């Protein structure tokens, strides 16, 4: 009997997830997966749990384990629905994390005020399903309530970005971002394309650790971008997937966002705790919309909740509870920042080791972009044919555009990757 779905064609594999499928099917003991967008360990000893993590495996942060244990031991916790907007503590603390929190100054014995936007109640924050869900909810809100339906996104960008915005009903255009010749930022092209964008257009900006290139603007370049965006009345929409995970500093990685918020203008910010707390499967994120006034922010929040209600009704409780537990405890927060810096430092170390090993090998070309780029991913500059060669001959898996995850590397596997890159650039044009 024919199915009523017989006319449904098989969808193509997701290009990123397909890398992992191919890797899993490879029986070679020398195989290496550099396509995965998740942190992986070296051989690490954990003082808190006195356990050993095996190299190349997922890492659950000690502070996350502690927060979970605290939640499990709390008999007052129940499994009721939480509000459409999510956990209030989570939302409040997430906004402070990205926009800047109050801090106590012992020298002057008073509190230093954080973001004026928070102090003036101009921020509407909604708990969402990680970064992807935050982007989608924001896009759905903009489609319904904003006067422009075109969004400019960098070329290249994370593969899911155009799909998220298109399916929400926005029209996607691109602005130049990466320069293959320099393996750096095409800053002039970026300015020209945004300068030609229609007034009021939405602009997607990676807050830090641009995915997939690892290329970020300098502070001076960010300021010029801000001036251009404000002069054109463009609406910035930040994707903050790596706060603290790029440089090891939560404040440094939030600099771009805070620069835009400090000028009093409006913007949207999608946050994810997948990378910086390792909560990939918990799907924890937040959407913050910075408005001109508290009254506008209140109205915006009411309408964003109407986007969420028919989409998934209310968000899950567990992951957000973990985040809130960590952020509101000074001890846990401090421990988190230490573990977070450790992850960032390991990725930075892998960059340095790979760069030095390629130099020592005498591999043709300038590989300095590896240490100039930042964050989890590096755009190697390898072409599609070279990537295919490395997969076939060396069992090294990455996306066809030459993007590799630095978190997938270890001191032990760097020599194997260097051998493969050297062979690829010398034998495959």
């Amino acid at each position: 009997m024919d199915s009523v779905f017989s006319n449904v064609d098989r969808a193509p594999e997701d290009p990123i997830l397909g890398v992992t499928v191919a890797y899993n099917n490879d029986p070679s003991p020398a195989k290496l997966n550099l396509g995965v967008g998740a942190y992986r360990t070296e051989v690490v000893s954990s003082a808190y749990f006195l356990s050993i993590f095996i190299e190349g495996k997922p890492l659950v942060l000690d502070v996350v384990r502690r927060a979970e244990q605290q939640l499990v031991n709390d008999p007052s916790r129940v499994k009721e629905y939480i509000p459409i907007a999510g956990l209030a503590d989570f939302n409040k603390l997430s906004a402070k994390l990205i926009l800047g929190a109050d801090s106590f100054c012992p020298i002057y014995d008073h509190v230093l005020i954080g973001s004026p936007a928070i102090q003036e109640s101009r921020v509407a924050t909604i708990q969402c399903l990680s970064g992807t869900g935050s982007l989608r909810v924001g896009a759905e809100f903009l489609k319904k309530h904003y006067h422009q339906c075109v969004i400019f996104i960098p070329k290249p960008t994370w593969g899911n970005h155009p799909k998220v915005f298109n399916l929400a009903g926005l029209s996607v255009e691109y602005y130049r971002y990466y320069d293959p010749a320099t393996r750096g930022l095409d800053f002039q092209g970026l300015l020209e394309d945004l300068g030609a964008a229609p007034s009021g257009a939405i602009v997607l900006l990676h807050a830090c650790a641009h995915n997939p290139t690892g290329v970020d603007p300098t502070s001076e370049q960010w300021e010029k971008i801000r001036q251009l965006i404000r002069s054109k009345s463009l609406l910035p929409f930040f994707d903050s997937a790596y706060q603290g995970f790029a440089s090891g500093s939560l404040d440094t990685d939030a600099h771009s966002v805070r620069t835009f918020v400090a000028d009093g203008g409006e913007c949207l910010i999608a946050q994810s705790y997948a990378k910086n707390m390792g909560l990939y499967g918990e799907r924890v994120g937040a959407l913050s919309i910075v408005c001109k006034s508290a009254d506008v922010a209140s109205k915006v929040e009411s309408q964003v909740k109407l986007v969420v209600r028919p989409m998934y009704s209310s968000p899950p409780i567990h992951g957000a509870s973990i985040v809130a537990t960590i952020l509101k405890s000074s001890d846990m927060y401090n421990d988190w920042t230490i573990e977070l810096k450790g992850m960032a430092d390991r990725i930075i170390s892998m960059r340095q080791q790979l760069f030095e090993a390629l130099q020592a090998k005498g591999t043709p070309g300038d590989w300095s972009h590896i240490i100039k780029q930042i964050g989890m991913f590096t755009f190697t500059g390898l072409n599609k044919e070279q990537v295919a060669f490395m997969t076939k001959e060396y069992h090294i898996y990455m996306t066809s555009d030459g993007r590799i995850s630095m978190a997938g590397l270890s001191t032990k596997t760097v020599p194997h990757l260097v051998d493969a890159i050297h062979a690829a650039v010398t034998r495959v044009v």
Side-chain angles (χ1 to χ4, degrees):
M1 181 182 295
D2 287 340
S3 168
V4 295
F5 303 113
S6 296
N7 63 327
V8 176
D9 294 328
R10 184 177 301 280
E13 287 249 11
D14 182 283
I16 296 176
L17 299 182
V19 171
T20 298
V21 172
Y23 168 82
N24 290 336
N25 291 333
D26 188 340
S28 172
K31 65 182 180 179
L32 179 60
N33 187 2
L34 299 179
V36 63
Y39 185 81
R40 293 294 182 261
T41 63
E42 287 264 8
V43 177
V44 179
S45 172
S46 167
Y48 187 82
F49 284 100
L50 300 178
S51 59
I52 299 295
F53 297 106
I54 300 172
E55 181 179 282
K57 298 298 181 182
L59 172 67
V60 178
L61 301 185
D62 285 350
V63 72
V64 168
R65 297 283 194 199
R66 288 161 55 198
E68 283 189 308
Q69 195 62 54
Q70 181 175 312
L71 293 168
V72 168
N73 292 339
D74 181 358
S76 68
R77 283 181 54 77
V78 295
K79 302 295 184 182
E80 290 290 302
Y81 293 120
I82 60 175
I84 297 172
L87 290 178
D89 278 353
F90 170 83
N91 291 337
K92 179 180 178 181
L93 293 164
S94 293
K96 285 188 174 183
L97 186 70
I98 190 66
L99 300 180
D102 298 345
S103 60
F104 182 73
C105 179
I107 299 175
Y108 298 104
D109 193 32
H110 71 275
V111 172
L112 300 176
I113 300 300
S115 173
I118 293 176
Q119 297 301 320
E120 297 161 9
S121 301
R122 295 190 287 108
V123 185
T125 301
I126 302 287
Q127 179 189 332
C128 297
L129 306 182
S130 201
T132 306
S134 302
L135 291 165
R136 180 60 184 266
V137 169
E140 296 273 2
F141 167 79
L142 291 171
K143 170 62 177 174
K144 187 172 182 180
H145 297 283
Y146 188 59
H147 66 276
Q148 270 280 11
C149 288
V150 60
I151 183 167
F152 282 75
I153 65 177
K155 187 175 182 179
T157 192
W158 179 45
N160 219 18
H161 277 147
K163 300 170 189 173
V164 167
F165 295 120
N166 271 324
L167 287 174
L170 299 180
S171 175
V172 172
E173 300 288 344
Y174 290 87
Y175 63 88
R176 282 170 283 176
Y177 190 88
Y178 179 74
D179 182 356
T182 64
R183 297 175 185 175
L185 182 66
D186 184 356
F187 188 54
Q188 190 57 40
L190 180 154
L191 294 179
E192 289 175 3
D193 289 349
L194 292 186
S199 177
I202 309 157
V203 179
L204 179 74
L205 301 166
H206 295 229
C208 67
H210 180 272
N211 178 5
T213 69
V215 175
D216 283 356
T218 64
S219 294
E220 293 75 19
Q221 289 171 331
W222 269 121
E223 176 56 21
K224 291 181 180 179
I225 294 170
R226 185 196 66 80
Q227 291 175 7
L228 173 61
I229 284 177
R230 293 310 192 196
S231 70
K232 292 275 299 181
S233 298
L234 305 177
L235 179 64
F237 193 158
F238 284 95
D239 186 355
S240 178
Y242 301 98
Q243 186 184 358
F245 198 84
S247 69
S249 166
L250 290 159
D251 292 329
T252 298
D253 293 346
H255 170 76
S256 60
V257 174
R258 293 177 187 178
T259 297
F260 277 77
V261 174
D263 67 13
E266 295 175 303
C267 66
L268 291 83
I269 309 145
Q271 283 174 271
S272 167
Y273 290 96
K275 306 298 190 298
N276 58 18
M277 281 196 188
L279 297 174
Y280 302 94
E282 298 290 357
R283 312 309 293 143
V284 195
L287 172 69
S288 287
I289 303 179
V290 181
C291 305
K292 282 287 190 179
S293 70
D295 180 57
V296 171
S298 178
K299 292 175 181 177
V300 165
E301 180 179 331
S302 71
Q303 290 294 340
V304 175
K305 286 192 286 188
L306 292 185
V307 173
V308 169
R309 178 61 173 158
M311 191 182 291
Y312 54 86
S313 193
S314 69
I317 190 171
H318 186 65
S321 297
I322 294 172
V323 173
T325 299
I326 293 170
L327 294 185
K328 66 186 176 186
S329 163
S330 58
D331 288 342
M332 284 191 181
Y333 178 87
N334 289 335
D335 290 343
W336 173 50
T337 60
I338 292 170
E339 288 194 81
L340 180 55
K341 189 174 189 308
M343 290 192 290
D345 285 350
R346 189 182 94 70
I347 291 176
I348 292 169
S349 172
M350 287 300 100
R351 289 184 177 280
Q352 191 66 39
Q353 289 184 44
L354 178 58
F355 170 67
E356 291 176 356
L358 286 166
Q359 279 195 314
K361 183 84 170 177
T363 303
D366 178 7
W367 299 96
S368 62
H369 60 283
I370 291 173
I371 53 176
K372 292 176 182 175
Q373 295 172 9
I374 193 171
M376 179 177 286
F377 300 111
T378 287
F379 236 32
T380 59
L382 298 167
N383 61 40
K384 187 175 182 179
E385 292 72 26
Q386 291 167 334
V387 169
F389 168 83
M390 289 170 61
T391 300
K392 180 181 179 182
E393 300 296 331
Y394 289 84
H395 305 275
I396 294 176
Y397 292 82
M398 67 185 80
T399 52
S400 61
D401 57 9
R403 186 200 79 168
I404 63 173
S405 171
M406 301 307 298
L409 268 182
S410 70
T411 300
K412 185 184 296 184
T413 57
V414 164
H416 181 54
L417 176 60
V418 169
D419 287 345
I421 292 176
H422 186 88
V425 299
T426 54
R427 294 167 56 184
V428 181
V429 178

